[in-house]
Amino acid sequence: DTAVSQTPKYLVTQMGNDKSIKCEQNLGHDTMYWYKQDSKKFLKIMFSYNNKELIINETVPNRFSPKSPDKAHLNLHINSLELGDSAVYFCASSQDGGGHGYTFGSGTRLTVV
Amino acid sequence: AQSVSQHNHHVILSEAASLELGCNYSYGGTVNLFWYVQYPGQHLQLLLKYFSGDPLVKGIKGFEAEFIKSKFSFNLRKPSVQWSDTAEYFCAVNGGSNYKLTFGKGTLLTVNP
């Protein structure tokens, strides 16, 4: 069983489109995250949710809207996609504030053309 | 704010050479420290972590790291690298279980056979 699963694995879309990435974890963790990895491999936190409540929003454009229907799911919806949104997006989960480690999903490679 | 600095952008070694990757962090309180590895095209995998106790931490695949509080450092070591260790290595800090894992910019390790 995959602990943190993301879909889709690859996503190619045109500028201006709206797309969603889904994430689910079966670890029983209460906190979930979205990270963005750019072309230089730099990993930056975008959002964190604890028990469905937004804890961290790292000055991400409003075009990015996370949604957490329950503590096992954290989806990412992106409106009006831009070329600069091309990156690998990683979902992760942890128990509490992350002091005991994070488990990452396998990533979604988004390419905007 | 917490931050992480990795000194080496790209390290090239021959098989059987010893490895040390530098990592320094900045945070004013209790920290949890991690090293993650990302093999080409794959997701992040936890190598080892430090929360408290013995500052010398042993991880998977023969890696270890030493937490030196006075130097704000958490360097990663391996006595003898293998070709299969070729990957990107990320140091990360979580300050006081604050729902945020901050990564360094990563070090690409290339091991030549």
Side-chain angles (χ1 to χ4, degrees), chain B residues 8 11 16 21 32 42 44 91 97:
Chain B
N8 313 102
V11 172
L21 300 182
N32 305 304
Q42 295 193 24
L44 291 155
C91 182
S97 299

Side-chain angles (χ1 to χ4, degrees), chain A residues 31 33 35 37 40-43 45 48 50 55-56 58 90 96-107, chain B residues 9 32 34 36 38 40-44 46 49-51 88 90 94 97-106:
Chain A
T31 308
Y33 310 81
Y35 276 80
Q37 187 174 42
K40 295 185 178 179
K41 301 287 189 180
F42 185 51
L43 280 151
I45 188 169
S48 72
N50 177 253
I55 301 293
I56 289 176
E58 284 286 299
F90 286 99
D96 303 324
H100 293 278
Y102 291 55
T103 302
F104 283 83
S106 57
Chain B
H9 177 64
N32 305 304
F34 307 85
Y36 283 86
Q38 187 176 30
Q42 295 193 24
H43 65 286
L44 291 155
L46 181 66
K49 57 190 177 186
Y50 171 81
F51 302 134
E88 191 91 27
F90 294 93
N94 168 261
S97 299
N98 63 0
Y99 300 97
K100 185 174 177 179
L101 187 65
T102 299
F103 287 87
K105 292 192 174 181

Side-chain angles (χ1 to χ4, degrees), chain B residues 37-102:
Chain B
V37 61
Q38 187 176 30
Y39 297 103
Q42 295 193 24
H43 65 286
L44 291 155
Q45 182 180 353
L46 181 66
L47 272 179
L48 47 78
K49 57 190 177 186
Y50 171 81
F51 302 134
S52 63
D54 189 344
L56 185 60
V57 180
K58 294 194 183 300
I60 61 171
K61 302 178 189 282
F63 287 91
E64 65 179 31
E66 185 175 12
F67 170 54
I68 303 179
K69 189 174 181 180
S70 60
K71 295 184 178 181
F72 297 90
S73 70
F74 190 56
N75 292 354
L76 181 72
R77 300 195 290 249
K78 186 171 184 179
S80 176
V81 294
Q82 301 172 322
W83 175 79
S84 58
D85 292 325
T86 295
E88 191 91 27
Y89 291 80
F90 294 93
C91 182
V93 62
N94 168 261
S97 299
N98 63 0
Y99 300 97
K100 185 174 177 179
L101 187 65
T102 299

Side-chain angles (χ1 to χ4, degrees), chain A residues 85-102:
Chain A
D85 298 331
S86 295
V88 181
Y89 293 84
F90 286 99
C91 178
S93 72
S94 74
Q95 187 57 33
D96 303 324
H100 293 278
Y102 291 55

